[in-house]
Amino acid sequence: MVDTESVNGSPVTPELEKAAERADSRRGFLLALPALGFLTLFFATPLVIVAIYSFATRNRFGGTDLSGWNLDSYRRLGEPIVRDILYRSLFLAFITTVICLIFAYPFSYYLATRKESVRNIMLVFVMIPFWTNFLVRNYAWRVLLGNGGPLSQATEAVGLGETSILFTPTAVVLGLVYGYLPFMVLPLYASIERIDWRLVEASRDLYASGWTSFRKIILPLSMPGVIAGSILVFIPSLGAYVTPELLGGAKTTLLGSYIVTQFLTARNWPAGAALSMVLMIVMLITTIIYFRKDGKTL
Amino acid sequence: MAEEEIAAAVELQGLTKRFGADVTAVDSIDLRIEDGEFFALLGPSGCGKTTTLRMIAGLEFPTEGSLRIYGEEMGTLSPNKRPVNTVFQNYALFPHMTVLDNVAFGLRMQKVDKAEANKRAQEAIEMVRLGQMAKRKPNQLSGGQQQRIALARALVNRPKVLLLDEPLGALDLKLRQEMQIELKSLQREVGITFVFVTHDQEEALTLSDRIAVMHDGKFLQVASPENMYERPANRFVADFIGQTNLLEGTVEDAETVCLANGARVSVANDKAEGAKVAVSLRPERINVHALDDKPDGPSLEGVVSSVTYLGTAHSYRIAMDWMEIEVREENRPSRGHFNAGDSVLISWHSDGVWVVDN
Ligand SMILES: Nc1ncnc2c1ncn2[C@@H]1O[C@H](COP(=O)(O)OP(=O)(O)OP(=O)(O)O)[C@@H](O)[C@H]1O
Ligand SMILES: [Mg+2]
């Protein structure tokens, strides 16, 4: 006999289809719940706290009064010292990004056009620096660039005299480029590797020279990688703390160090929080621009 | 100038392409494709058709041999310097450009003035009847439309030779047949030499002026569709072009072949006495008779083992004790058909058979 009670195996009606779809999305939500919970607790909450503090007031004892809400901390960002730091950080992050791009593009292109086995080996080389602690690597750079260090010795040996670039913006940029180059290489490699080479052949067949093919086909099609890599380098460079601290010395304060100073030394938490918010908003805007343009292909 | 007129559109001499030490994709082929010809390269998968085409386009350089286009040796000239354009199998339309930019690409690369390039591109798009689609991106077009744009993108440059690599391969049957007709009339219209790769023998037969059948990197036969069908050079070609029954036997003299079952059939041939051959019998050239309806001329006896209704015809498989034969008989309402299990006689006209080397 036909079992009219059973849901499974009865004819489908629009209501039943809806119910099934809802059940499906419930299951999806349950699966996402652990990660959602974790992010809410440990990411969103501190973010809200920072936001609240940025509107608060520092009291005389270096504590924070949450009662008097105002925009004073944001106004302070217009002060020449803070503005200079902001501009300097943006500039160095920009330079770092451009240099990373210039180095990484040809390398990624080369990588993407190699045999599978060669690629994998080279990708491992790109990752090797990650196997060592970031702090340790920055100290290594200090030795490398320091007075009487290998770099200085080398320039002296070829008759260019000593170099002392440690504790200059140049050293910071060098360190940042070194630290974030892999973040540029990987998305670039991924996007170049995905390009259909038959399109390049088609353009060659249509009278484009090798260079023109690159400009008209490969470059536009690898744009998602260029943008993703640039964001991945620009954002952490802008907020970098360790590298500027160790290689930049006291003369070139950047955003990261300045924020830390506000929290730890000046004990002006609202100022530090406001600066952090600004930093975050800059990053948010860049990221949104990216996702609006080509985010699907990240 | 006089020399120009006798030069073939494409001339290959001993053209060879090896990949590494052990893959010989194209094995010393010689070929002359005449100006204005619609030439088909036909063969099974992996026989070297694409490689041959790519060498003409300059996307692959030959290992050995000579390749001339209108008398000019191509050597290792890069693809952008050759007077040929390609319609790629997957169309290879540029996804980040509009249809118009795709079609105008070749002209712009040749430094044609921008307005002029756009005008000619628009004309080419209209020629393939997609005038309203010019502003779209390729992924907003159907497969058939993309195919036509790929064609327009190549033709707009007025190449001396147009290379087409299975351009209709991805289309469904109906669209494919439409495109075949369109392609043929387009070729007549523009008068450009077409070199067309396909593994569909029917397509090759309908479209081309001449066909080269390729196998394992070599040409087995180069001939007109009719010659190819009626007088295949060997067993492979006979089997590959259309369907056929191959009856094995031995040549007795210029008029007779002794079949493997001992039956003697009279068929004109130019093979040596005693040569092992196969008699090619096309399914549609065989007649089926009831046992009591003895035909004149050669006949063989068998039993119908299966019947398939094809709409326009019935296809019979007829079992004999030494082989099975496929027969196709056109349907006429007034005539009945045979059923599985019927004993029958099959016969053929002596001009409907052809002898090939075995
Ligand atoms: N780049 C390459 N490296 C190594 N072998 C190749 C390469 N290109 C083609 N081949 C080999 O050469 C032979 C001919 O290939 P080709 O692509 O010309 O075949 P085809 O006739 O076009 O086949 P299909 O009908 O499947 O497209 C094949 O055996 C193929 O594996
Ligand atoms: Mg092919």
Side-chain angles (χ1 to χ4, degrees):
Chain A
M1 285 262 67
V2 181
D3 179 4
T4 47
E5 292 294 316
S6 109
V7 177
N8 295 325
S10 64
V12 178
T13 62
E15 293 76 41
L16 191 56
E17 187 205 9
K18 284 265 160 51
E21 274 170 9
R22 274 197 304 273
D24 226 25
S25 77
R26 263 200 308 278
R27 267 193 296 278
F29 181 70
L30 280 178
L31 289 172
L33 203 55
L36 271 176
F38 187 88
L39 284 177
T40 316
L41 203 60
F42 297 108
F43 175 72
T45 316
L47 195 63
V48 171
I49 295 175
V50 172
I52 291 173
Y53 267 70
S54 71
F55 296 107
T57 324
R58 175 185 190 268
N59 63 25
R60 277 178 295 143
F61 316 107
T64 308
D65 285 339
L66 290 177
S67 50
W69 290 53
N70 57 65
L71 290 172
D72 285 353
S73 309
Y74 287 94
R75 276 191 205 103
R76 280 199 52 202
L77 302 182
E79 288 173 12
I81 317 173
V82 185
R83 220 183 41 215
D84 283 355
I85 291 175
L86 192 62
Y87 285 165
R88 190 189 297 136
S89 299
L90 282 169
F91 178 70
L92 288 189
F94 177 75
I95 295 285
T96 305
T97 308
V98 170
I99 294 178
C100 277
L101 196 56
I102 291 169
F103 281 159
Y105 202 103
F107 179 72
S108 307
Y109 182 91
Y110 175 78
L111 205 61
T113 50
R114 288 314 97 180
K115 291 200 304 254
E116 180 99 16
S117 52
V118 181
R119 279 182 206 180
N120 291 339
I121 293 173
M122 298 192 45
L123 276 174
V124 169
F125 276 121
V126 172
M127 310 289 239
I128 279 180
F130 288 127
W131 298 352
T132 324
N133 182 287
F134 188 62
L135 201 60
V136 173
R137 287 186 280 140
N138 274 283
Y139 272 108
W141 269 87
R142 226 166 137 144
V143 175
L144 187 65
L145 303 180
N147 285 336
L151 182 71
S152 190
Q153 284 172 9
T155 48
E156 222 179 337
V158 295
L160 291 172
E162 282 189 10
T163 41
S164 49
I165 57 169
L166 189 59
F167 306 130
T168 65
T170 314
V172 176
V173 169
L174 272 177
L176 289 175
V177 167
Y178 159 78
Y180 299 132
L181 194 61
F183 295 127
M184 186 65 95
V185 169
L186 294 179
L188 268 180
Y189 162 76
S191 75
I192 297 175
E193 197 251 355
R194 206 166 30 207
I195 293 176
D196 184 350
W197 289 95
R198 290 173 294 194
L199 296 176
V200 178
E201 290 188 338
S203 73
R204 302 280 281 138
D205 185 66
L206 291 164
Y207 313 105
S209 64
W211 169 242
T212 314
S213 275
F214 173 77
R215 264 191 322 121
K216 298 274 179 185
I217 310 295
I218 299 174
L219 195 56
L221 290 177
S222 63
M223 235 8 167
V226 171
I227 296 172
S230 299
I231 289 179
L232 287 179
V233 171
F234 184 79
I235 288 179
S237 301
L238 190 57
Y241 174 65
V242 173
T243 308
E245 272 302 284
L246 293 184
L247 304 180
K251 279 167 283 175
T252 40
T253 312
L254 294 182
L255 265 181
S257 323
Y258 187 72
I259 291 174
V260 171
T261 320
Q262 292 306 306
F263 276 103
L264 301 184
T265 318
R267 296 200 68 75
N268 190 345
W269 287 31
L275 208 50
S276 304
M277 289 307 288
V278 170
L279 198 57
M280 231 164 343
I281 287 162
V282 171
M283 292 170 183
L284 192 68
I285 290 170
T286 14
T287 314
I288 286 173
I289 291 172
Y290 168 64
F291 276 110
R292 294 277 296 263
K293 263 185 75 100
D294 259 315
K296 281 161 277 166
T297 46
L298 180 68
Chain B
M1 224 44 231
E3 203 183 282
E4 188 109 314
E5 273 158 24
I6 55 158
V10 178
E11 192 173 8
L12 315 179
Q13 275 167 2
L15 197 72
T16 300
K17 178 68 188 180
R18 280 188 282 271
F19 292 107
D22 33 56
V23 182
T24 305
V26 174
D27 193 359
S28 186
I29 55 176
D30 300 307
L31 179 66
R32 227 184 117 89
I33 299 173
E34 301 301 335
D35 179 47
E37 218 177 357
F38 198 128
F39 192 91
L41 274 176
L42 177 66
S45 188
C47 68
K49 307 181 293 290
T50 297
T51 308
T52 307
L53 209 64
R54 287 171 60 82
M55 284 195 282
I56 302 175
L59 298 170
E60 209 90 70
F61 293 136
T63 311
E64 263 176 68
S66 142
L67 194 167
R68 273 190 220 128
I69 295 175
Y70 286 93
E72 232 172 285
E73 181 64 54
M74 288 296 124
T76 55
L77 205 62
S78 63
N80 52 326
K81 304 209 175 98
R82 301 190 183 205
V84 302
N85 285 114
T86 308
V87 177
F88 292 84
Q89 177 163 15
N90 63 334
Y91 316 141
L93 297 177
F94 306 129
H96 56 300
M97 297 182 194
T98 62
V99 163
L100 185 73
D101 288 339
N102 262 281
V103 177
F105 189 88
L107 295 173
R108 287 184 194 152
M109 289 303 117
Q110 294 175 96
K111 304 282 188 293
V112 175
D113 165 70
K114 186 156 186 195
E116 170 74 9
N118 283 354
K119 188 173 134 267
R120 275 163 65 184
Q122 187 65 39
E123 279 167 14
I125 297 168
E126 266 148 32
M127 178 182 71
V128 294
R129 295 185 282 112
L130 289 173
Q132 324 78 20
M133 310 277 179
K135 290 275 164 304
R136 294 205 192 173
K137 290 280 179 69
N139 63 7
Q140 295 166 320
L141 300 180
S142 75
Q145 292 167 339
Q146 290 183 28
Q147 203 285 322
R148 298 219 287 264
I149 293 302
L151 199 60
R153 184 177 70 172
L155 277 176
V156 74
N157 303 296
R158 298 281 149 158
K160 286 187 170 166
V161 181
L162 185 72
L163 308 172
L164 304 101
D165 192 357
E166 305 201 27
L168 309 180
L171 306 181
D172 62 59
L173 186 67
K174 189 92 184 117
L175 190 55
R176 195 170 169 140
Q177 286 167 342
E178 276 174 37
M179 287 300 303
Q180 286 177 3
I181 296 167
E182 229 167 277
L183 208 57
K184 185 73 193 171
S185 63
L186 203 62
Q187 193 259 346
R188 285 217 194 90
E189 210 175 293
V190 297
I192 291 172
T193 310
F194 275 33
V195 183
F196 184 93
V197 160
T198 177
H199 60 244
D200 180 344
Q201 44 97 11
E202 214 173 297
E203 196 165 274
L205 288 174
T206 20
L207 284 177
S208 36
D209 299 323
R210 275 194 312 149
I211 304 175
V213 172
M214 224 178 159
H215 183 55
D216 274 346
K218 292 195 179 76
F219 286 157
L220 297 183
Q221 188 174 7
V222 181
S224 69
E226 193 184 337
N227 273 334
M228 195 70 93
Y229 192 77
E230 302 293 341
R231 291 171 280 278
N234 59 38
R235 200 188 157 106
F236 181 88
V237 176
D239 201 33
F240 195 74
I241 303 278
Q243 268 176 301
T244 196
N245 298 289
L246 293 164
L247 285 62
E248 278 162 31
T250 318
V251 173
E252 217 145 80
D253 57 49
E255 298 296 324
T256 324
V257 171
C258 179
L259 296 181
N261 70 337
R264 281 211 174 76
V265 295
S266 73
V267 6
N269 69 83
D270 54 3
K271 311 289 181 218
E273 226 170 273
K276 295 275 179 219
V277 293
V279 177
S280 162
L281 259 176
R282 300 276 183 199
E284 75 280 6
R285 304 239 164 116
I286 302 176
N287 301 311
V288 193
H289 313 264
L291 276 189
D292 52 6
D293 177 23
K294 180 121 180 74
D296 29 282
S299 72
L300 297 165
E301 197 181 321
V303 177
V304 177
S305 64
S306 73
V307 185
T308 312
Y309 177 69
L310 302 174
T312 60
H314 270 90
S315 158
Y316 302 108
R317 291 200 69 81
I318 294 173
M320 297 178 295
D321 47 9
W322 57 293
M323 72 174 293
E324 250 192 13
I325 281 188
E326 173 118 16
V327 180
R328 193 154 53 238
E329 201 170 52
E330 220 173 293
N331 287 329
R332 264 178 239 117
S334 60
R335 195 166 68 188
H337 64 87
F338 295 95
N339 293 308
D342 291 354
S343 289
V344 292
L345 287 173
I346 56 166
S347 71
W348 58 86
H349 278 289
S350 52
D351 62 355
V353 293
W354 181 253
V355 175
V356 291
D357 289 320
N358 200 7

